DNA sequence: CAGGCCGGTTAGCGAGCGTTAACCTGGCGG
DNA sequence: CCGCCAGGTTAACGCTCGCTAACCGGCCTG
């Protein structure tokens, strides 16, 4: 079969691989290094993954799915509770911030290494990403009046860039506490969206 | 000597190299490809550059210098004309937007491939980047009252993420016109900064 | 207690990479 | 007219990389 079974080793490998890929880029990390990071060496990885590409694929598909599924769930919950579109949008913002602050390496990979995937998998990831964007675009347009669809899409991309900026900071120690950072990003995201809609 | 002379060929190579590096990553592009992109093949590049690393170095040092120098000039001009800190900040925003929209490939490299530089050059580029950030931080804190220095730094990084988001769009054709995009980004940047300062 | 399989090991292969070497050519200055 | 040099060429080298092959020990099962 083409897929391997699950297991704690597998997860450990994925965690270390995501860290290394984020630090030095997909092509900049060798399989021996990934193996060494989990205490085994080199070709033993092939007992768990079909190859180096398969690791990146699994990481990117995983993160895109989690983003989209988490987003859809938050919006659904807000709607079922009868909350406003503005509140649903805030739920999306908070969810994305949690993700960006807790899984910095994955966020980095997510918008940096997509082009290193083989064609078929790349399409799959792009589809998930597009669905996530469209979810935001819909909610944002309902929350703010004067947003055309192209403008909303550009604005959403810009907000993603804003929210994903923290992983790029060289020393995270230079940041305020996690809660302060989250609050700051949340305020900025809403400020940016409000301004995009033209006050 | 270690440096090569200037020349149109050199610039042509740098332009194509930046495009290719941005598309597929530094490690994902071979020297033969870069050569082919300018109509010569492979090792002929070594008549113009000491090596592949030297091309990336020159690109990153160049862009970081242009950003910092351009920013300092704008702030200086604003101060000499007696304009407010808010206006100086707007000048920084506009300048950065022009850069992001006109040199998309370079902006991408700038925050994606820094780690592929040899240690010495990387320090040099980081120093330029830090100076640019500090320029923004100073102006932003003068323009808005309630911004602590760590918060201002995080906010500035976030705004960079926002402004640099457009190159990541798969098809730029999905964007509004250049002027509309610039205006949108400008509004969003100021909205985000205002919100960071706490209204 | 025998056997299979799970998850390791080391050795090695084949391709691709950046780089160097050796050679060539056309234009320009003395 | 001669020689030099700038700017190309192709061949080849050495290294690194992803991956496969061959082998092996421990544990669980029949």
């Amino acid at each position: 079969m083409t897929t391997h079974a699950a297991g704690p080793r597998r997860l450990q490998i994925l965690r270390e691989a995501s860290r290394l890929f984020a630090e030095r880029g997909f092509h900049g990390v060798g399989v021996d290094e990934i193996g060494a990071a989990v205490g085994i060496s080199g070709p033993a990885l092939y007992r768990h993954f079909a190859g180096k590409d398969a690791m990146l694929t699994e990481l990117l598909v995983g993160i895109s799915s989690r983003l989209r599924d988490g987003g859809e769930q938050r919006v659904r919950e807000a709607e079922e509770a009868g909350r406003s579109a503005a509140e649903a949008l805030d739920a999306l913002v908070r969810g994305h911030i949690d993700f960006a602050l807790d899984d910095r390496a994955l966020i980095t990979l997510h918008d940096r290494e997509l082009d290193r995937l083989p064609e078929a998998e790349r399409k799959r990831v792009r589809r998930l990403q597009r669905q996530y964007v469209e979810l935001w675009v819909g909610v944002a347009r309902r929350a703010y009046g004067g947003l055309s669809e192209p403008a909303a899409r550009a604005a959403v991309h810009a907000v993603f860039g804003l929210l994903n900026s923290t992983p790029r900071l060289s020393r995270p120690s230079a940041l305020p506490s996690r809660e302060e950072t989250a609050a700051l990003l949340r305020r900025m995201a809403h400020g940016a969206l409000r301004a995009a809609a033209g006050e």
Side-chain angles (χ1 to χ4, degrees), chain A residues 25 86 100 108 119 147 167 170 191 196:
Chain A
T108 303
E119 174 73 9
L147 266 180
S170 30

Side-chain angles (χ1 to χ4, degrees), chain A residues 78-153:
Chain A
E79 280 173 356
E80 283 168 4
R83 288 197 279 274
S84 71
E87 284 169 310
L89 186 58
D90 185 50
L92 284 178
V93 169
R94 287 162 168 274
H96 196 102
I97 289 174
D98 284 344
F99 206 95
L101 294 182
D102 294 338
D103 292 288
R104 302 159 47 109
L106 286 178
I107 278 285
T108 303
L109 289 188
H110 177 254
D111 63 16
R112 219 177 262 201
E113 306 288 343
L114 176 59
D115 301 331
R116 281 72 183 167
L117 281 189
E119 174 73 9
E121 321 290 359
R122 186 169 54 229
K123 278 194 166 171
R124 198 162 143 224
V125 173
R126 261 211 247 272
R127 193 165 141 268
L128 288 164
Q129 290 182 346
R130 195 171 50 242
Q131 291 170 338
Y132 184 55
V133 171
E134 292 310 314
L135 179 67
W136 274 70
V137 166
V139 175
R141 293 190 68 197
R142 267 175 276 140
Y144 291 105
L147 266 180
S148 77
E149 193 172 315
R153 213 170 343 251

Side-chain angles (χ1 to χ4, degrees), chain A residues 64-93:
Chain A
S64 312
S65 304
R66 282 172 57 199
L67 276 174
R68 189 204 55 175
D69 295 348
E72 283 179 353
Q73 185 182 342
R74 284 164 191 274
V75 171
R76 204 182 319 118
E77 284 171 3
E79 280 173 356
E80 283 168 4
R83 288 197 279 274
S84 71
E87 284 169 310
L89 186 58
D90 185 50
L92 284 178
V93 169

